[in-house]
Amino acid sequence: MNVHTVVVPHNDLRAAEHTPCVVPPAEILSSQALLKGRREMLIQHGDRTYRLRHTSNDKLILTK
């Protein structure tokens, strides 16, 4: 498991002081689990809808 460290400055005026913050790695989700045997699906994000397609060349394409 990879863990990334990001340094975030305090909100005070001393720029030399920093507090390390540990950011967890992104969750991995397989395309098979996401598509559930389908070749495409629609994803709602905010007020937009995106189409995720699994192509015949075994690639994934995300379009608006």
Side-chain angles (χ1 to χ4, degrees):
M1 176 187 291
N2 295 330
V3 176
H4 304 281
T5 301
V6 177
V7 177
V8 181
H10 284 285
N11 288 333
D12 64 14
L13 299 176
R14 294 172 285 177
E17 288 186 20
H18 297 282
T19 302
C21 176
V22 177
V23 178
E27 180 181 346
I28 297 175
L29 181 64
S30 73
S31 61
Q32 289 109 350
L34 188 61
L35 291 168
K36 299 178 183 172
R38 298 174 295 221
R39 298 301 290 181
E40 70 178 43
M41 67 178 304
L42 299 177
I43 301 171
Q44 186 71 41
H45 181 68
D47 61 348
R48 296 187 181 190
T49 302
Y50 295 83
R51 181 181 312 272
L52 180 65
R53 284 192 308 121
H54 180 198
T55 70
S56 58
N57 293 331
D58 201 30
K59 305 232 185 239
L60 291 176
I61 298 177
L62 181 66
T63 55
K64 281 188 183 180

